[in-house]
């Protein structure tokens, strides 16, 4: 409640000030005394408590508090008396019995009185550790020389607590004191081989005393079993003292290690594999300990880092050159059960020394490691260097006096060994072999992780620490945090968060700098301060003990600690984890899932669970970012498990960037779950190449699904989705912006090639398949993405929709200006080339059809002429026969009455237009076949094979049928001709856009290729027009001829259609510097505009009286500075607001500092954009000059278009001359003329005959009519 003495003083004065009776004041003394006790003011608390006991002496709580006060002031006998008095007043306080027993072991007491309290403690709190200590004290003070009771007491207690290292130490100390050295040695060896107390310095120091005593008694010469245990113990004592003791104590035991190691190598005739491997390992441990001791002395200030680093590096290099114990060797595999644990521990410490030494070498080594290693070997790996190392490590005189028996001096390992610098691959192997050495230490894992991760990395790698492999891998319910629900992913996330916080602290330490700049950033683990907080270390220890079922004491406290940590990593309410840390955890889990996929299919389930947990963190991060964006900061608890304050540095831009990343991750998760609609909606809002590429992948997958459907609608959807996929690839090219080193370049190109090939195959469907009505090989616009048609053929709702059809796609751009990338342009050019090739093929096919129809029409007309000729000949032959018959009838009329006259009357001759000549092959008619029934005249003819002459009705019907057939053919030809005209217009449009592309790219190679294509298409168009039946064929159908009438086109003033968006606009006063003074130009709105044509910004200002006083483009050489308390901005530029361009120094004064800073920021953005677009004043005189394109004839109206010189030269190189005349057909509207003029330029200006590009009149008319129709649509 109160934190300081001043707070308690104010409270006590306030309470006591309201009381007037002294007795009442004393009665408040207990409460005030407790407050002073809590703030460690024991004397003041004692004074108030004494005044309270003076009026209320029988209160047991007051005597108990007084005992606590005496215990804090180290008055143990008075504290014991107070506890006894409190227990006498209230006998139910069992905790006081334990307190009294504990004090009995610390103050002199009669054994009988101690036994009284021991019996009370055994009745109330059996099994307590205090009871054992009291028993031990009584046994030691009893004066019994037998010690049997004490031994029995310790051994009986060990049966109940076999993992209590203090009992083990007491037993060995008891054996040493009682002289039972053999028994002590056997118990020590047997216990040590279990490797149960590898982290206890007290245990190994006791073992060392036992081994020295045993060696002094027996000598142990040649006893390999003894030296194995002795050296192993010495190594452990050296390492643990390096962790917890001062350098002098470390050097003392290291010197012992050196002397004993020399004794061991001198044992004769001992060449067993296990012994030789053990000696080799101890040699490596010795050099590793020497290097670490040197660094510890430099850390404590005993030596300089400059002097220590070379010697320590040599020791670590020697350590790395000594190989680790091979766990696959025969002696290791066939070891007995009692040696197995020790050998496995040796294998782990072997990997540990190489891991620690290798990582430290990487921190010490600078520059070329090979050269550095060779230099160290030349300088120090000699006898002189060995002497220097010995004198630096062992500084005491008695140590230096024993050089003759030193392993470091006598052994040749130091001078003969090859120094090897470790590789990163070796370090991974050593790390994986040693991380289980200290599984309960979180700092151990963090130290290993920091060797592979730093704050510069976005995510942590997969470490592969499988400490909790027996736990369930994941849980589904993330809203609870019970201790029983602990899983492997919880421990992984906890480690990731701890490593991230440790990396932040380590980075801060590096930024603060060391007192000595030569000090390395990383030291061995034994010299490193704890890398985690105490709360984090307690959670890891609790998790490990619950996992291994070794929780003995403080069960409820450990359970509470574990539960709080689980709730934190699962982001249960009040977790206190920052959004940056949550995003970092999600990234790291995705990396882990990705690396686990490469380990094999047996990890598939774990990969899925890991991705699910990562998705959970992405969603939580997105929710927190949305709250931060709305200035709704999350609640932060007072005690946070992971203290990460990076959320305080989040500005609006950072939040936006993080939101984009999180949304992309959520979209990828939806994509993996086949939730394509959600994924597309997310990716369309993002402006990253990864998002657009994923959109293309989704469209491609959906297109494949539609392809499997046989219905025509499915084929149409297939093509639509492929087009959307290609559009997404175009957008990816734009976002990459020609970054040749980007990792997506190769995959994007592969996806584009696949999609383009599929689109080509769709366009080449056979006649037996129904092609899509949406696939029209028209030109692709270069200034934006191609969108699919918004309309579609109505579908039968009764049919089951495919997954792709059920998705509603939104591919609209978010409005951000994206400059087309070279890859985008290249892809569209290739697509345009294919589209153009398709058009040419279609035109050629149409021409072939027209030729066929023309030949059929000519053949039909030829047949008609032959028929008419035959009719004329037949009419002539009939007339001859008629004359003959008429003359005969006249002769019959002169016959007598007894003769029967002819019943035939005179037929009218058939008159035919034109000359009809009788066939040369005709023969006289067979008169027998014209026999009259009345006269039954018999004709005799010599030609029996002549055809019957058609009747007039027959000829009339045949002529009408022929005329109908001819009219049908003419209509068919006209229809085909109209289709040809449409395709010609489409081809012309494609050529126009192709020319625009080449003009934009401005590459001579493309221009030459385009010129070739343009000439081929021009020849094709002229051939098509010459083959048109509407102009070359005379038919009986009424085909009217168009008359050329010149129509004058009025020049229209082109409004400023340049897309200029306002980037900045504020009121300002503008002045310029001239003749050593600032002259005022005026006051008005100062604007910064974005020019889409230049892809740059320009500054424009008009005064309030509409006078333009500033107009120039922001170039890459420009700079700006703020002055006059940052309310004015100054810059220099070439001003074009005057009649002649003039360089001026401008100064704009604003009403506020914020407005000036905003202008300066927008100005520098324009400079950055100018660098990207290469806008420079230095080459302004080399920029393109305006050129005029002209349409018109010599008689009048012309349409003149302003373009650049480069465009004009490019157009001229494509087949045009220096003149251009385009005749406008009569009947064309002014809209078609304006449309035709808009085809080739952006503005209207006076004609420049030297810069005019020509085209054929027929092609110009065709273009004009097509553009008129397009404008009407």
């Amino acid at each position: 409640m109160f934190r300081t003495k001043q707070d308690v003083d104010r409270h006590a004065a306030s309470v006591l000030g309201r009381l007037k009776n002294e007795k009442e004041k004393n009665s408040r003394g207990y409460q005030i005394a407790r407050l002073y006790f809590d703030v460690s003011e024991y004397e003041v608390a004692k004074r108030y408590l004494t005044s309270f006991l003076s009026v209320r002496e029988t209160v047991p709580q007051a005597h108990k508090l007084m005992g606590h006060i005496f215990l804090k002031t180290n008055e143990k006998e008075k504290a014991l008396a107070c506890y006894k008095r409190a227990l006498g007043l209230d006998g139910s306080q069992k905790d006081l019995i334990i307190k009294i027993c504990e004090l009995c072991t610390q103050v002199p007491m009669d054994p009988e009185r101690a036994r009284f309290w021991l019996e009370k403690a055994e009745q109330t709190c059996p099994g307590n550790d205090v009871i054992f200590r009291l028993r031990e004290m009584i046994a030691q003070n009893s004066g019994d020389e037998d010690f049997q009771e004490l031994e029995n007491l310790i051994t009986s207690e060990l049966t109940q607590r076999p993992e209590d290292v203090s009992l083990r130490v007491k037993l060995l100390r008891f054996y040493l004191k009682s002289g039972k050295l053999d028994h002590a040695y056997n118990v020590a060896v047997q216990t040590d081989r279990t490797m149960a107390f590898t982290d206890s310095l007290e245990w190994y120091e006791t073992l060392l005393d036992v081994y020295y005593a045993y060696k002094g008694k027996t000598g142990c010469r040649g006893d390999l079993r003894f030296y194995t245990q002795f050296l192993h113990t010495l190594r452990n004592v050296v390492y643990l003292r390096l962790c917890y003791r001062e350098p002098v104590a470390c050097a003392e035991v290291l010197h012992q290690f050196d002397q004993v190691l020399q004794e061991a190598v001198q044992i004769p005739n001992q060449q067993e594999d296990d012994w030789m491997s053990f000696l080799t390992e101890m040699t490596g441990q010795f050099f590793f300990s020497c290097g670490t001791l040197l660094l510890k002395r430099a850390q404590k200030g005993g030596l300089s880092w400059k002097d220590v680093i070379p010697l320590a590096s040599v020791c670590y290099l020697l350590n790395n050159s000594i190989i680790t114990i091979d766990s696959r060797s025969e002696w290791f595999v066939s070891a007995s059960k009692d040696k197995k644990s020790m050998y496995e521990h040796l294998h782990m410490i072997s990997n540990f020394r190489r891991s620690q030494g290798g990582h430290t070498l990487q921190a010490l080594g600078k520059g070329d490691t090979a050269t550095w290693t060779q230099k160290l070997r030349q300088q120090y790996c000699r006898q002189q260097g060995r002497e220097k190392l010995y004198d630096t490590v062992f500084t005491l005189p008695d140590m230096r006096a024993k050089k003759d028996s030193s392993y470091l001096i006598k052994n040749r390992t130091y001078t003969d060994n090859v120094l090897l610098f470790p590789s990163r691959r070796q370090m991974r192997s050593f790390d994986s072999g040693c991380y289980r050495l200290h599984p309960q230490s979180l700092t151990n894992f963090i130290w290993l992780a920091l060797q592979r991760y730093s704050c510069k990395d976005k995510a942590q790698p997969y470490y592969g620490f499988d400490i909790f492999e027996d736990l369930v891998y994941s849980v589904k319910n993330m809203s609870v945090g019970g201790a029983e629900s602990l899983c492997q992913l919880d421990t992984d996330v906890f480690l990731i968060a701890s490593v991230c916080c440790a990396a932040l602290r380590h980075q801060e330490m590096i930024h603060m700098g060391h007192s000595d700049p030569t000090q390395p950033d990383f030291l061995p683990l034994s010299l490193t301060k704890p890398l985690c907080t105490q709360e984090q270390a307690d959670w890891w220890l609790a998790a490990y003990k619950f996992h291994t079922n070794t929780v003995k004491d403080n069960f409820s406290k450990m359970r509470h600690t574990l539960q709080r940590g689980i709730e934190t990593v699962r982001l249960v309410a009040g977790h206190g984890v920052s959004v940056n840390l949550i995003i970092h955890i999600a990234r790291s889990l995705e990396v882990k899932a990705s690396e686990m996929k490469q380990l094999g299919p047996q990890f598939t389930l774990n990969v899925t669970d890991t991705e699910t947990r990562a998705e959970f963190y992405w969603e939580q991060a997105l929710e927190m970012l949305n709250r931060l964006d709305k200035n709704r900061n999350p609640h932060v608890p007072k005690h946070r498990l992971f203290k990460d304050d990076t959320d305080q540095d989040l500005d609006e831009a950072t939040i936006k960037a993080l939101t984009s990343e999180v949304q992309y991750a959520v979209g990828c998760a939806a994509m993996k779950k086949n939730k394509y609609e959600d994924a597309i909606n997310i990716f369309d809002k993002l402006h990253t190449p990864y998002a657009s590429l994923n959109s293309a992948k989704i469209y491609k997958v959906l297109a494949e699904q539609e392809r499997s459907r046989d219905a025509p609608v499915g084929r149409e959807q297939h093509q639509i989705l492929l087009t959307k996929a290609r559009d997404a690839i175009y957008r990816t090219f734009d976002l990459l912006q020609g970054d040749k080193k980007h990792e997506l370049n190769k995959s994007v190109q592969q996806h584009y090639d696949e999609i383009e090939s599929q689109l080509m195959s769709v366009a080449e469907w056979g006649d037996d398949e129904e092609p899509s009505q949406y696939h029209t090989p028209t030109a692709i616009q270069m200034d934006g993405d191609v969108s699919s048609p918004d309309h579609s053929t109505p579908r039968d709702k009764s049919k089951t929709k495919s997954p792709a059809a059920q998705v509603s796609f939104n591919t609209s751009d978010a409005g951000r200006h994206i400059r087309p990338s070279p890859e985008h342009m290249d892809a569209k050019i290739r697509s345009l080339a294919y589209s153009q090739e398709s058009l040419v093929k279609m035109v050629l096919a149409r021409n072939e059809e027209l030729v066929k129809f023309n030949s059929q029409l000519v053949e039909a007309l030829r047949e008609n002429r032959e028929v008419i000729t035959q009719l004329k000949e037949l009419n002539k032959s009939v007339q001859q026969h008629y004359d003959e018959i008429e003359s005969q009838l006249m002769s019959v009329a002169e016959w007598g009455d007894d003769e029967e006259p002819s019943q035939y009357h005179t037929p009218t001759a058939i008159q035919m237009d034109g000359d009809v000549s009788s066939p040369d092959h005709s023969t006289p008619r067979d008169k027998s076949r014209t026999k009259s029934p009345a006269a039954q005249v018999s004709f005799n003819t010599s030609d029996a094979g002549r055809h019957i002459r058609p009747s007039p009705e027959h000829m009339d019907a045949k002529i009408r049928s022929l005329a109908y057939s001819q009219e049908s053919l003419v209509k068919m030809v006209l229809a085909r001709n109209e289709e040809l005209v449409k395709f010609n217009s489409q081809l012309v449009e494609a050529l126009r856009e192709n020319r625009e592309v080449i003009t934009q790219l401005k590459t001579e190679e493309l221009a030459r290729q385009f010129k070739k294509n343009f000439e081929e298409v021009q020849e094709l168009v002229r051939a098509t027009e010459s083959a048109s039946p509407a102009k070359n064929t005379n038919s009986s159908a009424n085909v009217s001829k168009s008359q050329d009438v010149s129509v004058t086109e009025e020049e229209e003033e082109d409004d400023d259609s340049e897309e200029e968006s306002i980037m900045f606009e504020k009121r300002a006063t503008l002045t310029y510097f001239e003749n050593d003074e600032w002259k005022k130009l005026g006051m008005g709105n100062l604007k910064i505009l974005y020019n889409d044509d230049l892809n740059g910004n320009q500054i424009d200002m008009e005064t309030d009286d509409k006078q333009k006083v500033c107009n120039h483009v922001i170039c890459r050489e420009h700079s700006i500075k703020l002055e006059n308390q940052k309310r004015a901005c100054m810059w220099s530029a070439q001003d074009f607001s005057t009649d002649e361009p003039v360089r001026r120094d401008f100064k704009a004064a604003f009403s506020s500092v914020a407005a000036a800073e905003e202008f300066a920021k927008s100005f520098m953005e324009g400079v950055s954009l100018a660098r990207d677009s290469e806008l420079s004043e230095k080459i302004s005189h080399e920029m393109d000059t305006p050129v005029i394109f002209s349409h018109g004839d010599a008689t009048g109206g012309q349409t003149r278009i302003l373009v650049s010189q480069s465009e004009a030269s490019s157009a001229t190189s494509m087949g045009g001359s220096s003149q251009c005349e385009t005749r406008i057909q009569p009947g064309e509207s002014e809209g078609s003329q304006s449309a035709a003029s808009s085809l080739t330029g952006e503005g209207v200006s006076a004609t420049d005959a030297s810069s005019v590009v020509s085209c054929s009149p027929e092609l110009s008319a065709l273009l004009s009519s097509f553009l008129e129709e397009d404008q009407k649509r």
Side-chain angles (χ1 to χ4, degrees), residues 325-327 332 342-351 433:
I325 289 179
D326 187 5
S327 60
F332 192 98
M342 181 179 178
Y343 286 170
E344 290 177 351
H345 183 261
L346 283 173
H347 180 259
M348 284 190 290
I349 65 174
S350 179
N351 283 281

Side-chain angles (χ1 to χ4, degrees), residues 135 209-210 251 264 362 536 551 780 974 1031 1066 1117 1270:
R135 279 181 178 177
D209 294 340
V210 171
Q362 291 177 349
Q536 294 171 356
V551 180
I780 300 172
L974 291 176
K1031 295 183 179 181
K1066 295 287 185 182
E1117 299 90 356
D1270 184 64

Side-chain angles (χ1 to χ4, degrees), residues 262-299:
Q262 179 62 20
E263 294 177 10
V265 298
Q266 291 177 347
I267 298 176
N269 301 324
Q270 301 294 337
Q271 300 296 327
E272 290 85 353
D273 291 340
D274 56 345
W275 172 248
M276 298 306 297
S277 298
F278 177 77
L279 284 181
T280 302
E281 178 57 32
M282 289 301 104
T283 302
Q285 294 290 341
F286 174 74
F287 284 115
F288 171 72
S289 301
C290 289
T292 306
L293 177 59
L294 291 172
L295 294 180
K296 188 176 183 69
R297 281 184 171 165
Q299 187 183 40

Side-chain angles (χ1 to χ4, degrees), residues 364-372 421:
L364 297 176
K366 305 296 182 181
D368 185 4
T369 57
T371 305
W372 178 69
F421 196 90

Side-chain angles (χ1 to χ4, degrees), residues 347-349 351-352 428-437:
H347 180 259
M348 284 190 290
I349 65 174
N351 283 281
F352 180 77
R428 298 282 179 88
S429 175
F430 300 149
D431 292 347
S432 62
C434 73
Y435 71 87
R436 294 180 183 273
L437 186 61

